[in-house]
Amino acid sequence: MERRQLGGGLTVSAIGLGCMGMSQSYGPSTGTRDDHIELIRSAVDQGVTLFDTAEVYGPYVNEELVGEALAPVRDQVVIATKFGFAFNPDGTQSGLTSRPEHIRAAVEGSLRRLGTDRIDLYYQHRVNPDMPIEEVAGAVKDLIAEGKVLHFGMSEAAAATIRRAHAVQPVTALQSEYSLWWRRPEEEVLPVLAELGIGFVPFSPLGKGFLTGKIDAATEFTTGDIRAAIPRFAAEAREANQAVVDLLATIAAQKDATPAQIALAWLLAQKPWIAPIPGTRRPERLQENLAAADINLTEDDLAAIEDASAKITVLGARYPEHLEKMTDL
């Protein structure tokens, strides 16, 4: 697979693998833990080198899964994980925290669960408004000096916050939602990343599955599926937003591809330092997603997508209000 360079010289596969859904957020999985380990190792065999997890996924169990799956090839891959949430004794979330002492405790926990001596890319999961970002960046800088962390990342951070952090410790990558139905990063964030030489790792590049064309107004979400609480996934919103999928399907038919592949190819065509991390629990979807790296969208294709998408108004917020408030955007 094509390789791409994020900031700070970190080279990764053009498409990575988001591993969160193997442990939470999308309802019960039909696969077992062994199935998920096999899927992650299959991704490695198909050229994926960037794997994304976080202490909050599960919590904790997703890091354990990723660590076990990647142990045989640890030196061949980039493991990204995240800090920034506080937890109650029972493991439930109790808010945000990025105090330096918390970061130090969090990194030790992540290293242990991942079974590794260093974290390749360590993201602040959410910006904590109660802690100056300069102190956060300084704490990660100390971990980099100790060799426990190799690169600093941020997630869902605003342009001004990124600048302040980068002045203390260079930011290698920003992770935020970005796709054809969520393009806010284009307004302020992408220009700052280009200016500072920071890579971009879009999560939910397939719109939490909607852009695959496999979800419609009649879809019923299972217990534990976060999409049931997201305004953009209300039945009336899905019906209205089908126009985005129809656009992708039109281009896909011309390219002998799927809507998901066109959505990913569109992202890859935006900047050479963008590496999306679609998640999946199914081998056939993994293969489909990775094949998007081989699709070439011409300037005419991109112009046609831009023209058509400009006429579409996406209905519904991307998060419920309490989750949107946790972002820095």
Side-chain angles (χ1 to χ4, degrees):
M1 182 184 290
E2 173 197 353
R3 296 290 186 264
R4 294 194 162 197
Q5 186 166 302
L6 305 179
L10 181 61
T11 301
V12 298
S13 53
I15 298 176
L17 180 62
C19 299
M20 178 188 74
M22 299 178 197
S23 300
Q24 66 166 61
S25 296
Y26 293 103
S29 174
T30 55
T32 65
R33 191 174 190 279
D34 286 344
D35 291 332
H36 296 154
I37 288 174
E38 184 177 350
L39 179 72
I40 292 170
R41 291 177 178 173
S42 173
V44 175
D45 292 341
Q46 294 178 70
V48 175
T49 66
L50 175 59
F51 294 85
D52 185 88
T53 183
E55 65 170 356
V56 76
Y57 298 160
Y60 309 131
V61 295
N62 196 251
E63 285 185 323
E64 294 171 351
L65 170 71
V66 170
E68 180 179 346
L70 294 177
V73 292
R74 177 64 188 94
D75 293 336
Q76 302 171 34
V77 297
V78 170
I79 296 178
T81 192
K82 312 175 193 73
F83 66 90
F85 283 96
F87 301 94
N88 294 311
D90 64 358
T92 57
Q93 293 178 31
S94 60
L96 299 175
T97 180
S98 286
R99 299 183 63 82
E101 60 268 28
H102 169 83
I103 298 172
R104 183 162 290 278
V107 79
E108 294 299 339
S110 290
L111 288 170
R112 182 180 66 255
R113 289 185 291 272
L114 289 165
T116 186
D117 61 352
R118 80 281 185 193
I119 293 169
D120 300 296
L121 178 55
Y122 202 35
Y123 292 104
Q124 183 190 32
H125 207 153
R126 291 291 184 271
V127 173
N128 182 357
D130 297 327
M131 178 57 55
I133 196 63
E134 290 82 0
E135 293 190 33
V136 176
V140 176
K141 184 175 184 177
D142 291 343
L143 294 174
I144 291 174
E146 296 170 22
K148 294 180 178 181
V149 171
L150 302 187
H151 295 271
F152 177 34
M154 303 182 75
S155 179
E156 296 278 70
T161 309
I162 296 167
R163 284 188 184 278
R164 289 167 53 201
H166 191 76
V168 176
Q169 168 59 46
V171 178
T172 290
L174 175 78
Q175 181 178 131
S176 285
E177 184 168 356
Y178 183 39
S179 70
L180 264 173
W181 82 337
W182 179 255
R183 299 181 64 171
R184 187 186 294 177
E186 296 172 351
E187 297 171 9
E188 295 182 355
V189 169
L190 284 180
V192 167
L193 301 185
E195 175 191 339
L196 299 179
I198 299 170
F200 191 31
V201 179
F203 70 78
S204 294
L206 298 176
K208 295 180 173 61
F210 188 77
L211 301 182
T212 65
K214 305 299 182 182
I215 296 172
D216 58 27
T219 300
E220 295 185 4
F221 297 111
T222 59
T223 302
D225 193 320
I226 59 171
R227 291 172 292 191
I230 294 177
R232 190 161 290 193
F233 281 90
E236 63 273 16
R238 280 178 271 154
E239 185 174 2
N241 296 334
Q242 181 63 34
V244 182
V245 178
D246 293 343
L247 167 60
L248 292 170
T250 298
I251 304 295
Q254 300 167 8
K255 298 287 184 179
D256 192 25
T258 67
Q261 290 171 335
I262 298 302
L264 291 171
W266 177 85
L267 269 176
L268 293 172
Q270 299 309 298
K271 302 291 181 182
W273 34 266
I274 288 179
I277 48 167
T280 186
R281 300 182 291 200
R282 299 169 58 182
E284 65 272 22
R285 290 284 172 259
L286 173 66
Q287 188 174 27
E288 176 185 350
N289 292 343
L290 300 184
D294 297 325
I295 295 174
N296 177 48
L297 294 179
T298 67
E299 291 299 323
D300 287 345
D301 292 331
L302 294 170
I305 292 172
E306 193 68 31
D307 181 65
S309 63
K311 299 181 177 69
I312 299 171
T313 299
V314 177
L315 182 64
R318 67 162 182 151
Y319 279 145
E321 185 177 359
H322 72 284
L323 293 181
E324 188 63 43
K325 285 181 177 179
M326 283 189 172
T327 73
D328 189 42
L329 303 179

